[in-house]
Amino acid sequence: MALHRVSRVSVVTNALTEALGSAIDEAQRVGWGSLSGSIRNIGQRADVLGLAVMSRPAGPAIEFLRPTLTANAGRRSLSARHGLGAFPLHSDCAHWRRPPDFVLIQCASGTSTTPTLILPLVKLPAGLESAFRQGMFLVGYGRRAFYAPAMSDGGLRFDEGCMRPLDGQALRVTEYLRATSRDAVEFHWTNEDTVLVMDNRRALHGRAPVHDAGDRRLARLYLGVAA
Amino acid sequence: MTDPFDPDALFDKAKLFINRCFDAHSAGQFDAAALWASLALEIVAKWALATVNPCLIADPSDDGTSLLTAAGLSKTVADFKTIPAKAAFSRCARAFPGFNAREAGRISGNRNDDIHSGALPFAQLDEERWWQSYWREVAVLLSAHGMTVSDLVGAENAGVAEGYITRNNETVSLLVAKRIEAAKARWESRESGVERLGGFVFGPEYESSAVCPACGNRGELMGDSVVGEQEVWPDSLEDYFTPFSLLDVASHLFNCPFCNLFLDGPDYISAADLPETFETEVAIEPAWEEYNNE
């Protein structure tokens, strides 16, 4: 799906919008893309491409992430389970009824020695297409919990932190994704201008183990295709 | 909170129950598979009704609490109660011609016996026949909303479910042929002077008649589900004030009081080449009879 829309802004923001459009196209094609720019400016220009900024209820549009020890982490966070260890591959906000379509990340601390791991799943694995669409997970907790498969409405939803497989097909999907995590590509944070754009419905992402917690501060922005 | 009457939530739950059914089915555990399947049937029936209107599955006996919630006029979702399976099946039989509430009731009866007593209802069943009948009822509910069993069970298991439906059609055709043959033999060998071998049936609301495929006499064709209605105002002056409704009713049951052929269920009616719908007249009272401006 091409997301390029009307162009009606200055040359500078036109260039940024075009770069974002290309990165989004790339992400939709292969799971992820990147561009040079400022994540804050991108958030302000996304509407030109028919994209809307999505955030947690009452949360800021841009959130900053730091490696956190288990003891200091929020009760229902990946850090609470994994601390400074590797984060398993997941899609962001899998517990939302409508997860964001794109996750944009920039290294606010300039560079980091801890790479982000990306597993593109643009095409479902042969023999498991039905299980991805049919196997049911319990998603979320308590009164807001609901059932959902790993693939619905044309997009992925998977996070073992908030999804529990409830039947044999969901279990097979979980086992497959665990086993495939070794195929994830590493994205290294070597340039402070780089913005990573991941298609949150066509790729999973995670974090390699953190060896130097002090050097990693990431800024994150969620974008959704405007209804 | 997930709305308990939300059709999507109901369908996702039905999918989960069906997945668990197939997990047990592939492990050769018929009792567990049938239990999950029977639970899924109730949810699919409620999904079919809630898709039309969530109020159709709201418990009407709680002073309107559940009805108001389903109608979106109250947010007391935690107090929402649904109608019992029996009521859901009965409504489905009226709303979705082809659905057999008696067969569905038998399936949920097996479930109730299993979970509420020490009985082993699933141990006594013909597994193949049970699945044939089960998947037919599920398919009728799904097709009422333009869906197929594949939408519920997924591509991986669709072939298994469709196989049962195909074999059900074959089995029903065979059963119906045998019943017709037996009724014909009964009728032809009746003692002289005997006018009728069977009785009349009461139950369904609407009735017409059709030629019995076994003995050639006129039998009763009955049903509850009105699929079409037309008001008729006679042209003649003497009849003009006695209008009637011409109803199209889905055939659900055939009973021949002469040879005692009895066919219960739309699939049985269809297999006997009896009309799938019939017309019947119901008198309507003209509204102006109550008006008096003398």
Side-chain angles (χ1 to χ4, degrees):
Chain A
M1 175 175 59
L3 291 168
H4 294 286
R5 295 273 169 88
V6 182
S7 172
R8 56 181 165 76
V9 286
S10 70
V11 174
V12 176
T13 52
N14 267 350
L16 180 65
T17 311
E18 278 179 25
L20 176 61
S22 299
I24 293 276
D25 284 347
E26 182 75 353
Q28 288 184 313
R29 204 165 53 79
V30 298
W32 63 280
S34 65
L35 72 153
S36 287
S38 151
I39 200 167
R40 198 171 295 279
N41 291 343
I42 288 171
Q44 289 164 355
R45 300 302 316 148
D47 62 326
V48 175
L49 295 175
L51 297 167
V53 172
M54 298 172 78
S55 62
R56 296 167 196 281
I62 294 175
E63 288 189 286
F64 291 91
L65 315 170
R66 286 176 187 279
T68 307
L69 291 167
T70 300
N72 303 331
R75 190 162 64 97
R76 284 177 180 156
S77 64
L78 284 171
S79 293
R81 283 190 182 193
H82 306 286
L84 300 183
F87 276 2
L89 296 175
H90 62 279
S91 59
D92 268 12
C93 303
H95 62 295
W96 290 7
R97 287 282 182 178
R98 195 204 149 184
D101 296 299
F102 301 101
V103 180
L104 280 67
I105 299 178
Q106 186 163 38
C107 191
S109 53
T111 60
S112 167
T113 53
T114 307
T116 292
L117 308 174
I118 308 169
L119 180 70
L121 277 166
V122 176
K123 194 166 178 259
L124 292 179
L128 279 176
E129 296 100 330
S130 177
F132 266 84
R133 293 191 171 87
Q134 180 73 17
M136 280 291 165
F137 291 82
L138 177 65
V139 184
Y141 307 92
R143 289 163 59 90
R144 290 179 188 273
F146 58 93
Y147 294 139
M151 170 66 81
S152 60
D153 303 323
L156 273 175
R157 179 198 297 275
F158 184 77
D159 182 353
E160 287 195 74
C162 64
M163 291 172 65
R164 200 145 44 94
L166 296 179
D167 56 54
Q169 295 187 69
L171 206 55
R172 276 162 52 209
V173 168
T174 304
E175 284 165 357
Y176 170 82
L177 291 174
R178 279 181 193 162
T180 320
S181 62
R182 60 176 177 268
D183 299 334
V185 295
E186 292 186 351
F187 183 86
H188 291 274
W189 299 102
T190 55
N191 189 330
E192 62 182 340
D193 286 335
T194 302
V195 177
L196 171 64
V197 178
M198 291 179 288
D199 188 327
N200 195 43
R201 313 305 306 276
R202 289 182 174 84
L204 302 181
H205 65 275
R207 186 193 70 191
V210 178
H211 300 297
D212 182 2
D215 80 333
R216 199 175 203 264
R217 184 166 174 262
L218 301 183
R220 181 181 63 197
L221 173 73
Y222 293 140
L223 294 178
V225 176
Chain B
M1 183 177 181
T2 300
D3 286 336
F5 47 81
D6 174 28
D8 291 339
L10 287 161
F11 200 74
D12 283 341
K13 180 174 273 191
K15 282 177 101 162
L16 171 64
F17 287 178
I18 285 296
N19 290 351
R20 286 176 171 168
C21 155
F22 274 104
D23 288 347
H25 189 270
S26 57
Q29 299 164 343
F30 172 66
D31 55 345
L35 182 60
W36 281 114
S38 60
L39 292 166
L41 179 61
E42 178 177 343
I43 301 293
V44 172
K46 287 177 176 172
W47 160 81
L49 293 167
T51 299
V52 177
N53 192 320
C55 292
L56 288 172
I57 63 165
D59 180 0
S61 66
D62 59 2
D63 201 24
T65 301
S66 298
L67 278 166
L68 287 166
T69 306
L73 296 171
S74 164
K75 300 296 174 198
T76 54
V77 173
D79 294 333
F80 181 82
K81 290 193 197 106
T82 62
I83 52 175
K86 189 180 175 185
F89 295 150
S90 166
R91 290 177 189 192
C92 284
R94 284 173 169 253
F96 312 120
F99 183 74
N100 191 331
R102 181 183 50 82
E103 204 58 51
R106 195 147 51 202
I107 289 165
S108 68
N110 296 149
R111 176 199 68 184
N112 289 343
D113 288 348
D114 197 35
I115 61 176
H116 294 304
S117 77
L120 307 175
F122 295 117
Q124 306 160 25
L125 297 171
D126 175 342
E127 295 180 21
E128 169 67 21
R129 188 70 197 107
W130 195 89
W131 287 119
Q132 288 178 14
S133 175
Y134 175 84
W135 284 111
R136 183 206 169 268
E137 298 312 321
V138 172
V140 170
L141 293 173
L142 291 167
S143 90
H145 292 297
M147 296 174 89
T148 65
V149 286
S150 179
D151 295 313
L152 178 68
V153 309
E156 202 170 295
N157 291 314
V160 177
E162 282 161 1
Y164 282 120
I165 293 167
T166 304
R167 292 198 294 282
N168 178 69
N169 294 339
E170 292 163 2
T171 305
V172 169
S173 295
L174 203 66
L175 282 172
V176 168
K178 279 186 178 173
R179 283 194 201 174
I180 290 173
E181 201 178 310
K184 196 173 178 181
R186 265 198 312 270
W187 181 247
E188 285 171 353
S189 61
R190 71 189 186 283
E191 289 178 14
S192 63
V194 174
E195 290 185 353
R196 289 198 180 101
L197 297 172
F200 293 91
V201 168
F202 300 95
E205 194 171 345
Y206 303 107
E207 183 184 332
S208 183
S209 68
V211 174
C212 175
C215 68
N217 291 300
R218 305 271 328 162
E220 302 170 288
L221 198 55
M222 307 169 100
D224 285 315
S225 182
V226 177
V227 294
E229 181 178 7
Q230 187 189 348
E231 273 190 20
V232 179
W233 295 80
D235 290 333
S236 66
L237 198 57
E238 66 262 30
D239 290 334
Y240 188 73
F241 292 100
T242 55
F244 59 90
S245 275
L246 195 58
L247 305 181
D248 273 329
V249 180
S251 310
H252 196 99
L253 185 151
F254 177 81
N255 174 60
C256 179
F258 297 95
C259 67
N260 205 19
L261 175 66
F262 184 76
L263 302 170
D264 186 5
D267 46 342
Y268 284 70
I269 300 280
S270 177
D273 285 330
L274 286 161
E276 292 181 12
T277 58
F278 60 84
E279 283 189 344
T280 188
E281 292 177 12
V282 176
I284 51 175
E285 203 173 310
W288 63 69
E289 276 195 2
E290 294 174 12
Y291 178 60
N292 186 346
N293 63 352
E294 288 172 351

